[in-house]
Amino acid sequence: MQLPEIEVIFSCSEDNFLPAVDVWIVIDVLRATTMITRWFELGGTELYPVRNPDEAKKLISDLRERGSDPLLMGEVNGIPPEGFDLGNSPAELNYKIVQDHYCGVISTTNGTVALLEAASSGSPVIASSLRNASAVMDHALTLGNNIGVLCSGRKGRPCLEDTLCAGALVDDLNFRYANKILMSDSAKIALTVWNDRGENLEEYIKKSDHAKFLEHIGFSEDIKFCSEYDACTVVPMLFNDKNEHTILRSVIGSSKPHAERIKPLEQNKISHPELEPVKKINDPFEELLQYTRKPSQYFYIHNHSHNNYNNHKSKEHK
């Protein structure tokens, strides 16, 4: 049996070459992918990621001409651009706001750019935060066992919080396969950061440059919210809509948390001869949906053949 593989790219920049993988997991803990996850937690159905405010405003105009009433949200340097309905604060997003708009458009400095860069590879793309990390890995493994993790980073450079979340994903995969996975050096570095985190995720993330910046401009509550681990089972994934716009939809999950909110700090010393993952107890209807999705439903830009669907079972963290 082929060993599972995981690659981590520490930041999204024009110089990055994205290798061929079965699925990309994109991270922007502070705050885009946490905001995206929260949107679907609260019942949002569609969310369009775009690269910049100009594209966002144009798309909003097009959607309104077609009879939609989307919410325009996002940030430039942490602040909502002029004319936006909302910023990029998951702590400020609430049920009433989402229920008043069945769809939204989001533009952020790093996160939405990274999502679209990953999409250009032709592989399926999932948005991950700390809040939905285990659920994301559950679903990623239904798409293949060669997994790429793209951190949005900050200003084209690595950032602590995204590297931390990447390490959580690496640790999760390593646990599921009894320490028998192939890791790139960057994946090993991310895992080291995760294992160094200490007991309090929020305090660890507060050490990052971006967290200090968010505190300075008044978004301390976002740091707390974004530091919650496995708080939900929502899995946002990229598709093309009927007009060939890139769109996020939740493929599975809900706002119910996993039974275990945080993994133990100790290294998992498991000796197991097989590579089959330990079974994870999930909602049977959610599991059925995972294994019955057709390849044609997933997001592709190019005609690449990375849709390697494997019948992996999910795993439970103890």
Side-chain angles (χ1 to χ4, degrees):
M1 181 181 293
Q2 182 182 354
L3 291 171
E5 300 179 54
I6 189 161
E7 169 74 78
V8 174
I9 308 295
F10 285 128
S11 67
C12 180
S13 69
E14 293 179 358
D15 297 332
N16 276 340
F17 170 76
L18 298 183
V21 294
D22 294 324
V23 55
W24 279 107
I25 299 173
V26 175
I27 300 168
D28 187 356
V29 171
L30 296 175
R31 297 167 290 170
T33 55
T34 306
M35 183 73 161
I36 289 165
T37 301
R38 186 60 173 163
W39 171 265
F40 292 107
E41 277 188 79
L42 293 170
T45 57
E46 297 179 337
L47 190 56
Y48 292 87
V50 296
R51 291 180 181 272
N52 56 58
D54 289 339
E55 287 187 19
K57 290 175 182 178
K58 182 180 185 306
L59 180 56
I60 281 284
S61 178
D62 292 344
L63 291 172
R64 286 173 178 166
E65 285 181 6
R66 296 202 293 266
S68 299
D69 182 26
L71 186 74
L72 178 56
M73 53 189 173
E75 54 78 31
V76 173
N77 296 322
I79 305 299
E82 184 178 353
F84 275 45
D85 302 312
L86 195 67
N88 190 36
S89 171
E92 292 179 357
L93 191 63
N94 59 51
Y95 181 79
K96 184 179 186 310
I97 292 172
V98 176
Q99 292 307 303
D100 285 345
H101 303 269
Y102 78 90
C103 76
V105 175
I106 183 169
S107 169
T108 70
T109 306
N110 300 297
T112 56
V113 174
L115 282 166
L116 296 171
E117 284 298 311
S120 68
S121 72
S123 297
V125 179
I126 302 173
S128 179
S129 64
L130 284 168
R131 290 182 64 82
N132 65 337
S134 293
V136 164
M137 186 57 72
D138 287 345
H139 193 68
L141 287 170
T142 71
L143 303 173
N145 64 357
N146 186 358
I147 294 171
V149 179
L150 177 60
C151 301
S152 300
R154 187 168 183 246
K155 299 179 180 179
R157 298 177 180 178
C159 64
L160 181 63
E161 66 277 7
D162 288 354
T163 304
L164 177 74
C165 186
L169 292 165
V170 174
D171 184 54
D172 190 341
L173 184 65
N174 199 34
F175 177 86
R176 293 169 190 253
Y177 288 91
N179 299 322
K180 294 183 178 181
I181 67 172
L182 300 177
M183 287 184 268
S184 66
D185 283 352
S186 56
K188 294 172 186 174
I189 292 169
L191 180 59
T192 299
V193 172
W194 174 249
N195 288 334
D196 186 52
R197 70 192 183 277
E199 295 288 349
N200 191 315
L201 279 177
E202 182 183 354
E203 290 303 314
Y204 191 83
I205 289 174
K206 281 182 177 180
K207 298 176 183 178
S208 71
D209 289 343
H210 195 41
K212 292 175 182 176
F213 171 73
L214 289 174
E215 281 191 299
H216 179 71
I217 62 174
F219 290 105
S220 297
E221 284 301 308
D222 280 346
I223 301 167
K224 180 178 180 179
F225 189 89
C226 294
S227 300
E228 293 180 357
Y229 187 80
D230 273 357
C232 73
T233 60
V234 164
V235 180
M237 190 166 178
L238 284 180
F239 298 85
N240 278 333
D241 73 1
K242 62 183 179 180
N243 296 299
E244 296 302 309
H245 290 300
T246 305
I247 188 170
L248 285 153
R249 296 190 178 101
S250 182
V251 293
I252 195 165
S254 68
S255 59
K256 68 178 183 181
H258 282 261
E260 192 78 22
R261 294 292 293 274
I262 191 72
K263 300 186 188 75
L265 285 170
E266 305 84 31
Q267 287 280 66
N268 297 302
K269 302 296 183 182
I270 302 172
S271 177
H272 198 285
E274 300 179 0
L275 288 177
E276 288 298 325
V278 178
K279 186 175 181 181
K280 188 170 197 170
I281 301 172
N282 283 330
D283 185 324
F285 295 103
E286 291 183 359
E287 188 169 344
L288 179 62
L289 281 172
Q290 287 192 37
Y291 296 117
T292 56
R293 291 193 176 277
K294 298 179 181 178
S296 61
Q297 289 178 291
Y298 293 107
F299 178 91
Y300 294 90
I301 288 182
H302 300 304
N303 216 358
H304 292 199
S305 58
H306 299 314
N307 53 328
N308 176 23
Y309 287 80
N310 294 328
N311 291 323
H312 288 293
K313 294 181 180 179
S314 302
K315 304 202 76 145
E316 181 173 17
H317 290 280
K318 297 182 179 179

